[in-house]
């Protein structure tokens, strides 16, 4: 089964982050969840971002990147918002990545904030709410669409709503229906990409164009990206 390195959002390792990791473990996957805040959690995005600013966004991001040092190269990198930047950096710059799961946020693969071109053969899913002002209005959805337009095995899933952390079951922003669908898609992704470890890389299986190359709606030293919550 897959080995996943999962990075939390700006409110820390909340019970909802722990529960999501637990769902992946229940399916048989190994999931590492480094706590970059040393046990601190925050009641709001604003409080979490204040802590990140005080510690230094780039310092925390680099700390997150270093958590991969003692783990195998063959990982799926996953991250929620603030943690998404770390997951995307590792997926693009650490050799051996088996996939990327990007939630609530996305960094461009071209331009000032890019980590570089997307690596060949690394599949990616991106998930966000279609009216989330952070994901939609601050350029993340455009970055996601750039990836989907240029990476052969890339998918963008949009969910109805305006909440940023909609898949955290411990927060008021939680959307149970959207999270169930997101989780099912993540589990399908992990089941699909992990067998690549046991065989030479092959082209990804044929999938409907709306999902492989487009976006699907349901019912977020290398120069650092702009700060995300």
């Amino acid at each position: 089964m897959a080995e996943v390195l999962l990075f939390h959002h700006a409110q820390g390792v909340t019970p909802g982050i722990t529960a999501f990791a637990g769902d992946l473990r229940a399916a048989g996957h190994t999931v590492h969840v480094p706590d970059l805040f040393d046990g601190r959690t925050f009641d709001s995005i604003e409080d979490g971002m204040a802590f990140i600013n005080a510690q230094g966004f780039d310092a925390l991001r680099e700390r997150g990147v270093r958590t991969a040092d003692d783990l195998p190269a063959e990982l799926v990198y996953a991250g929620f918002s603030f943690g998404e930047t770390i997951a995307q950096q590792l997926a693009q710059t650490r050799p051996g990545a088996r996939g990327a799961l990007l939630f609530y946020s996305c960094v461009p693969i071209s331009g000032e904030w890019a980590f570089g071109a997307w690596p060949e053969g690394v599949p990616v899913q991106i998930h966000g709410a279609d009216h989330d002002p952070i994901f939609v209005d601050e350029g993340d959805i455009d970055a996601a669409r750039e990836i989907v337009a240029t990476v052969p095995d890339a998918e963008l899933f949009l969910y109805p709503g305006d909440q940023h952390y909609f898949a955290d079951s411990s927060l008021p922003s939680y959307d149970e229906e959207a999270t169930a669908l997101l989780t099912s898609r993540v589990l399908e992704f992990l089941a699909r990409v992990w067998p690549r470890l046991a065989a030479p890389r092959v082209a990804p299986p044929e999938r409907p164009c709306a999902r492989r190359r487009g976006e699907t709606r349901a019912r977020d030293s290398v120069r650092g990206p702009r700060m995300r919550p």
Side-chain angles (χ1 to χ4, degrees), residues 1-9 12-13 17-26 28-36 63-80 83 86-87 90 94 101 103 190 194 197:
M1 305 300 280
E3 188 162 359
V4 181
L5 182 54
L6 173 66
F7 295 98
H8 61 79
H9 52 58
V13 182
I17 293 289
T18 300
F20 182 81
D23 288 341
L24 303 190
R25 292 182 182 122
H29 304 293
T30 299
V31 185
H32 308 276
V33 188
D35 186 347
L36 303 181
R63 180 183 177 189
V65 168
R66 289 195 300 271
T67 64
D69 290 349
D70 296 326
L71 295 174
E74 297 83 3
L75 295 172
V76 174
Y77 298 102
F80 292 91
I86 305 168
L90 285 165
R94 188 174 188 243
L101 293 163
F103 305 108
L190 294 177
W194 199 250
L197 278 176

Side-chain angles (χ1 to χ4, degrees), residues 8 11-14 34-42 51 63:
H8 61 79
Q11 289 183 239
V13 182
T14 60
D35 186 347
L36 303 181
F37 296 173
D38 296 322
R40 298 175 182 86
T41 57
F42 299 94
F51 174 78
R63 180 183 177 189

Side-chain angles (χ1 to χ4, degrees), residues 133-187:
I134 296 174
F135 185 70
V136 174
D137 297 341
E138 297 186 11
D140 297 81
I141 194 171
D142 298 322
R145 286 170 172 158
E146 178 189 17
I147 291 174
V148 167
T150 57
V151 175
D153 195 0
E155 299 170 297
L156 169 59
F157 295 110
L158 298 177
Y159 303 80
D162 60 3
Q163 295 300 305
H164 194 51
Y165 295 167
F166 67 86
D168 188 316
S169 61
S170 63
L171 299 178
S173 54
Y174 178 54
D175 183 325
E176 182 177 5
E177 182 179 354
T179 301
L181 184 53
L182 177 150
T183 302
S184 70
R185 286 168 166 165
V186 166
L187 292 175

